Amino acid sequence: MPGPEQLFINFCITVTFAFFRSLTFVTLKQADTVVPPVWRGVLTVIHALALSSFPLAVGGTDVDLSAAPLAALTFSNGLSAALLSALPIIGFHVLRADPVLPYEALMLLLTIVMVMVIRKFRRERGPPTLLEGLRNSLVLFAGASVPLFLLALAEGEGLQNVALIYFTQVIGNAVVLVVITWVMRSHFQVVGKSERYQALAQLDALTQLYNRRKFDEDLSHFTQATHILLLDLDHFKYVNDTYGHEMGDEVLKVTAQVVQETMRESDRVYRLGGEEFAVLLSSCLPEAAQGVAERVRSNIESRVGARTGLNTPVTVSGGLVEVNGDPRTIMRAADALLYTAKNSGRNRIVLQPAVDLTSAGPGNLTGGGPP
């Protein structure tokens, strides 16, 4: 039987490499780029070679558990990545002049094949439970370890010794694969909670738009933003006083929906507080930004009151400014334009330099700012 120190070394190797492997999955939502899968393959190869360097001694035979990391990679990254990673593992056994090389190579290839079969049958299902994962691992390595079983029989080992070698190979690899899965799942649970907490910290609870904290952060780092549209609902206090705060909340939620419906996927919408909203328009020419701003104003006027059941239209005033310079300077300029819109009769968008889009035709947009 393998000694406790051998089991402990293999366990420590597996936990260490499983942890580093988990770091190649950056977030739950982020799709793999080229670099993380490459590092995942490199870590798999090093993990397998480390396990091969510290085999389990069973009845005078060395049993290494290098098939388990390869199985984990096959589950996550598929056939091509597994075959590429299997080559240096086989090459390691060639350099070591391993007498059982053909059987080791065959076992690794059988592991890949059986994982692909399991993947195919589980394609439409969610992640396995711990017991299901253990069962699948035992079935997987029971089949993949057949070459080693046949080798032990061919060498005239006693049936009891052959069974001990075989079951050590099967159970050992299965446990290693389950440990890798357990470490990965623990990592994903932590990442998932972190992402949920981060999302809650960045979202407005009422409208589910991004909040002021996220806006301030994006304004400093959102390099694709070309314009800021600052919006403020007109006479919102009248809505609250006349229809109640519950209706006021409904107006805010519907306004958020209408603004989002008008925006492109690349734009970002925020509720800054109270009845004030902001939009970061990305990669947008001045003429296009002006058109978007006017559509937002028009859609709010025509849709929000109707959707909420009010007897009067809900209107909005706004300021449109290019993103160019210090964020505080940009926001002061947008606030000034919004203030101009309010003082000019409301229900209008004003842009630099103070041009009212509701009264200026396409040929009348003049000045040093956006044409």
Side-chain angles (χ1 to χ4, degrees):
M1 291 292 292
E5 68 282 355
Q6 293 176 322
L7 297 174
F8 180 73
I9 290 173
N10 278 263
F11 177 80
C12 290
I13 290 173
T14 294
V15 171
T16 300
F17 279 95
F19 169 75
F20 284 113
R21 184 176 184 273
S22 71
L23 299 181
T24 64
F25 296 87
V26 183
T27 69
L28 297 180
K29 297 179 181 179
Q30 180 177 353
D32 278 346
T33 59
V34 174
V35 175
V38 169
W39 277 112
R40 205 170 302 146
V42 171
L43 288 170
T44 296
V45 171
I46 299 174
H47 185 185
L49 298 185
L51 292 175
S52 293
S53 300
F54 295 93
L56 305 179
V58 180
T61 300
D62 288 338
V63 175
D64 76 67
L65 309 179
S66 58
L70 189 62
L73 181 69
T74 311
F75 273 118
S76 64
N77 288 78
L79 181 62
S80 298
L83 291 175
L84 286 174
S85 298
L87 292 176
I89 299 173
I90 295 172
F92 172 78
H93 289 285
V94 171
L95 293 175
R96 205 167 60 169
D98 196 331
V100 296
L101 172 62
Y103 298 91
E104 292 282 358
L106 183 57
M107 178 180 176
L108 293 177
L109 294 177
L110 279 176
T111 297
I112 295 172
V113 169
M114 294 193 67
V115 170
M116 294 304 298
V117 171
I118 294 173
R119 271 173 47 120
K120 181 177 181 180
F121 283 104
R122 301 200 76 260
R123 184 174 299 173
E124 303 300 329
R125 300 172 59 186
T129 63
L130 182 62
L131 289 178
E132 185 183 3
L134 180 59
R135 183 197 66 196
N136 289 342
S137 299
L138 289 172
V139 171
L140 164 64
F141 292 111
S145 299
V146 167
L148 185 65
F149 176 78
L150 296 176
L151 173 64
L153 283 178
E155 291 185 346
E157 297 279 353
L159 187 59
Q160 182 177 358
N161 201 36
V162 169
L164 183 60
I165 294 171
Y166 176 72
F167 284 113
T168 300
Q169 183 83 29
V170 173
I171 296 173
N173 274 292
V175 169
V176 169
L177 183 55
V178 168
V179 169
I180 294 173
T181 304
W182 173 75
V183 172
M184 297 292 298
R185 182 170 295 180
S186 299
H187 171 77
F188 287 144
Q189 289 174 348
V190 172
V191 169
K193 289 180 181 179
S194 175
E195 289 184 348
R196 285 194 294 272
Y197 292 148
Q198 184 178 13
L200 289 174
Q202 295 177 341
L203 292 180
D204 173 64
L206 178 65
T207 63
Q208 295 303 298
L209 297 177
Y210 288 123
N211 58 20
R212 182 59 184 255
R213 177 187 300 178
K214 179 64 172 172
F215 174 76
D216 291 339
E217 177 185 330
D218 286 349
L219 188 55
S220 300
H221 302 98
F222 194 39
T223 57
Q224 290 183 329
T226 56
H227 290 80
I228 290 177
L229 176 60
L230 197 60
L231 301 167
D232 191 274
L233 292 176
D234 297 327
H235 303 298
F236 185 69
K237 185 177 184 300
Y238 172 80
V239 174
N240 277 331
D241 292 344
T242 305
Y243 300 98
H245 289 280
E246 185 174 347
M247 176 58 75
D249 288 345
E250 185 65 19
V251 167
L252 291 172
K253 288 190 286 187
V254 173
T255 299
Q257 294 169 3
V258 170
V259 176
Q260 285 184 308
E261 290 168 2
T262 312
M263 294 300 110
R264 302 165 300 171
E265 289 187 6
S266 57
D267 301 326
R268 293 188 180 180
V269 186
Y270 309 81
R271 182 189 177 200
L272 302 186
E275 63 270 28
E276 190 174 28
F277 299 83
V279 181
L280 285 179
L281 299 171
S282 68
S283 303
C284 196
L285 294 174
E287 295 83 357
Q290 294 162 16
V292 171
E294 177 56 22
R295 282 199 301 275
V296 169
R297 185 207 61 77
S298 176
N299 288 344
I300 289 175
E301 183 181 17
S302 62
R303 298 178 186 178
V304 175
R307 290 187 187 181
T308 54
L310 293 177
N311 297 324
T312 181
V314 174
T315 63
V316 68
S317 300
L320 179 68
V321 61
E322 284 189 273
V323 177
N324 184 16
D326 177 69
R328 288 176 296 182
T329 303
I330 295 170
M331 285 304 297
R332 282 196 294 268
D335 275 325
L337 295 175
L338 176 59
Y339 184 77
T340 300
K342 291 286 188 182
N343 287 340
S344 301
R346 295 182 171 84
N347 191 22
R348 65 196 63 222
I349 306 295
V350 175
L351 57 116
Q352 286 180 318
V355 176
D356 181 358
L357 291 185
T358 62
S359 59
N364 298 325
L365 297 177
T366 61

